[in-house]
Amino acid sequence: MARAFNFSPGPSTLPEQVLRQARDTMLEYGGAGASIVEISHRGPEFLEIAERAEADLRALLSIPDDYAVLFVAGGATTQQALLPLNFAAPGQRADYVLTGHWGQVATRQARPYVDLNIAASSEADGYRGIPPFEEWRLSEDAAYVHVTASETIHGVEFRPSAPGGHPFPDTGDVPLFADFSSSIASEPIDVSRYRAIYAGAQKNLGPVGIGVVIVRRDLLARAGQPRADIFDYRLQLEAGSMLNTPPTWNWYVAGLTFRWMLDEGGVEAFARRNEAKARALYAAIDGSGGFYRNGVDPAVRSRMNVPFQLHDPALDGRFLEEAGAAGLIGLKGHRVLGGMRASIYNAMPLEGVQALAAFMADFQRRHG
Ligand code: PMP
């Protein structure tokens, strides 16, 4: 069977070239006499892979030297618990800004450890926008402010460094922490605006099972809270992200994905492509005369995750079935919102989005 265009939100489509490279080295890696999944993470082959992955990620995201990069297992949710454990004193205030489901999940991971303050939330309007900065109630003594750069389910995105985009407000001396799981490497960002950035890899960075934490080194001097070694970012850094056996295969495939992105022209090239893809898809929705709808404030619509509803939900099943038959998969919306969602990360080519837009128009002609 041919590969379909896969709009899945994560795990999500990977570049075919990366999958082929991974396949070719699955049995035997570069003279090691064994597969990556069979050799020690402390051997020369894997240490070289790990070093190169970090160097490539630093180049890709222009990560300054005063930031450490950690490769972590446990996904983004685990980091949502580890951030307060590492960087907030027990019961210290921490500010959270909610622009969708994942911000809410982050509060559930932090609540046992901090005095949690919801500084702003667009929940009351169904997470269709970003609360105006004037309404943010930030605490002066907070350990940090936590934001979600791109909400994967609700399709709301800050565009912190984009011209004309929606930036984050200046939080002064209070460190800004950002969950970039669904938009990392989709366009250039100024890493120095954040004290910590984290992301699960399974959207723009590679396979699930690994994630990255990018943290300004001076933050690691914070005492945080009593915690086991394995939850300690400082110890992880000292151990080269290998306090225990890391997910070597996932790390390797993420590294291949970083290299692919660099070879394709880096984040500037992806910013242009992603803009074009998002424009095409939103045009298909907005131009449908209400057959398809996306209710997010157009100023903060996500370029990565495009949720949309059919005017008649009774057609949902048929839409998904026919889309699948047309080679378009992974479109079922999250249960929180229902309807459809097209995730159009870096590895989704413009042709995939064009094929989806053409299918949507055709489906409307037949069922409108
Ligand atoms: N944050 C965001 C923005 C996400 O989209 C997700 C997963 N879809 C998570 C956090 C949780 O990530 P994980 O499943 O890797 O824990």
Side-chain angles (χ1 to χ4, degrees), residues 128-130 155-159 166 296-302:
R128 286 181 301 168
I130 292 177
V156 172
E157 189 186 8
F158 287 88
R159 305 284 308 283
H166 203 291
V296 176
D297 171 0
V300 297
R301 280 172 162 180
S302 166

Side-chain angles (χ1 to χ4, degrees), residues 87-88 92-95 115 117 138-145 173-175 222:
F87 302 129
Q92 190 180 357
R93 176 142 278 226
D95 286 348
D115 171 19
N117 174 45
L138 298 173
S139 321
E140 272 172 23
D141 54 348
Y144 57 83
V145 181
D173 290 338
V174 179
R222 284 198 181 178

Side-chain angles (χ1 to χ4, degrees), residues 237-252:
L237 179 64
E238 285 166 11
S241 301
M242 296 186 196
L243 264 182
N244 67 331
T245 320
T248 47
W249 175 254
N250 316 57
W251 198 333
Y252 168 63

Side-chain angles (χ1 to χ4, degrees), residues 263-335:
D263 290 346
E264 290 286 307
V267 289
E268 289 81 8
F270 284 104
R272 287 191 295 275
R273 289 188 205 176
N274 290 331
E275 198 73 49
K277 288 185 296 182
R279 206 175 316 116
L281 188 45
Y282 284 113
I285 294 166
D286 295 341
S288 70
F291 189 86
Y292 303 108
R293 277 191 311 266
N294 167 285
V296 176
D297 171 0
V300 297
R301 280 172 162 180
S302 166
R303 297 158 309 128
M304 295 286 106
N305 310 99
V306 182
F308 62 94
Q309 320 285 325
L310 274 64
H311 79 291
D312 178 4
L315 287 172
D316 284 1
R318 181 154 240 179
F319 182 94
L320 288 167
E321 203 177 295
E322 293 187 13
L328 307 165
I329 64 171
L331 287 162
K332 190 172 178 10
H334 191 278
R335 61 188 183 281

Side-chain angles (χ1 to χ4, degrees), residues 9-10 74-78 80 102 148 150-153 179-182 198 200 202-203 208:
T77 313
T78 303
Q80 291 171 344
W102 292 108
T148 311
S150 179
E151 280 286 354
T152 319
I153 293 173
D179 177 354
F180 265 95
S181 290
S182 91
Y198 66 97
Q202 65 268 30
K203 300 158 196 311
V208 67

Side-chain angles (χ1 to χ4, degrees), residues 88-117:
Q92 190 180 357
R93 176 142 278 226
D95 286 348
Y96 280 74
V97 174
L98 307 190
T99 50
H101 174 87
W102 292 108
Q104 234 176 7
V105 171
T107 64
R108 291 206 294 275
Q109 312 319 309
R111 201 178 286 282
Y113 308 120
V114 295
D115 171 19
L116 197 125
N117 174 45

